[in-house]
Amino acid sequence: PDGECPECGLPVARSVMQTLGATPANALRRALRIVFWGTIAMYVGGIIIVIVTFALAIQMASGGSSFTSVHWSAQAAGVGAYAFLAWAWWMVTAPLPATPRESDARRSRLGVRISLALLITIMLGSIAKQVLAPYVPPVGNPGANQIFTPSVLIDLGFSVAQWITEMVMLGFQASYLRFLARRIPGQPGLGLANTNAWLVPVIAVLSVISCGLGQLVASVLLIISIGMIAAGIKRYVDWLEGNAAPQTA
């Protein structure tokens, strides 16, 4: 990056800055940091919600509060968290300056955005169902036809749709992070990004037999990759501003 082009004689740094200058690089780094800390906060908040939900469920069993309201209230919190992350991922997946269309990873970029929008829509639909047609537990010793009511089947349908969408979303996110790792000067975290591109979808699929644990593991791998890319962008910006040694591939 500190040399000159052998064909035109211009400094390589000039073309590099036109591709990803300090301003768009800083904007991308901020968006990645929001996704990084936002994802961590979402999972920590989810753990807290699960604990509170179980506590209220126990209270309900002894004649306390309604579990149905707790259920869709927790989903509402999840919608808010995903809406926040969707906003951050929208900035992360903004087209990089001077990136040719054929190497823009357009499918992965749009896949992240569409899957997030679809996921939020499914979660909103599930909340609306909980409010408009809440599940009423059967009394006594119900048979299978009383347990698997249309209300329960609709809830299961929303859950399956949400799981599939989350699985697809994680795959697109891993693919797009690989694209970013390749495009950032110095290619930060490219090894992990290449591995995540196939490992994250596999782990997400396996979550069906691990009670959702696979999606948590996949998210952790993406968080690590995001942190490495954000750190690489910081080194690149420091170099552009003259505060660090030139980047090397």
Side-chain angles (χ1 to χ4, degrees):
D2 58 339
E4 295 181 348
C5 175
E7 297 179 359
C8 66
L10 293 175
V12 174
R14 179 179 300 177
S15 61
V16 170
M17 292 178 68
Q18 290 174 349
T19 302
L20 186 64
T23 299
N26 275 321
L28 177 59
R29 179 172 172 248
R30 283 194 297 269
L32 285 170
R33 291 179 66 184
I34 292 173
V35 172
F36 181 89
W37 292 110
T39 304
I40 293 176
M42 183 183 70
Y43 278 109
V44 172
I47 293 173
I48 295 174
I49 289 175
V50 168
I51 294 174
V52 172
T53 300
F54 272 109
L56 292 177
I58 294 173
Q59 182 182 1
M60 181 209 67
S62 59
S65 61
S66 171
F67 178 71
T68 301
S69 62
V70 174
H71 180 67
W72 68 260
S73 296
Q75 287 186 316
V79 170
Y82 271 110
F84 176 78
L85 289 178
W87 166 72
W89 271 104
W90 190 275
M91 294 187 294
V92 170
T93 55
L96 297 181
T99 300
R101 181 178 177 85
E102 61 272 13
S103 59
D104 183 41
R106 186 171 180 269
R107 183 174 63 179
S108 298
R109 179 163 54 84
L110 295 180
V112 172
R113 294 182 171 187
I114 293 173
S115 58
L116 276 166
L118 181 59
L119 180 60
I120 293 173
T121 302
I122 293 172
M123 296 176 73
L124 287 174
S126 178
I127 292 174
K129 188 271 174 189
Q130 293 293 332
V131 175
L132 299 176
Y135 170 67
V136 179
V139 180
N141 297 317
N145 60 332
Q146 292 177 285
I147 296 177
F148 293 99
T149 61
S151 176
V152 172
L153 294 178
I154 292 174
D155 286 337
L156 289 175
F158 276 117
S159 297
V160 171
Q162 181 175 334
W163 171 75
I164 293 176
T165 305
E166 287 180 347
M167 179 183 64
V168 172
M169 176 192 69
L170 289 169
F172 279 127
Q173 288 173 342
S175 177
Y176 191 78
L177 289 177
R178 178 178 59 179
F179 162 75
L180 284 183
R182 287 175 174 174
R183 294 293 298 174
I184 304 301
Q187 297 185 331
L190 180 58
L192 178 60
N194 284 334
T195 301
N196 283 348
W198 64 266
L199 182 59
V200 164
V202 171
I203 294 177
V205 171
L206 292 178
S207 67
V208 72
I209 59 176
S210 62
C211 300
L213 184 60
Q215 292 188 0
L216 175 60
V217 174
S219 296
V220 170
L221 290 174
L222 291 183
I223 289 174
I224 296 173
S225 182
I226 288 171
M228 296 175 70
I229 294 174
I233 294 176
K234 182 180 184 302
R235 291 193 298 269
Y236 166 65
V237 172
D238 288 342
W239 168 70
L240 285 180
E241 297 175 348
N243 299 323
Q247 294 284 308
T248 57

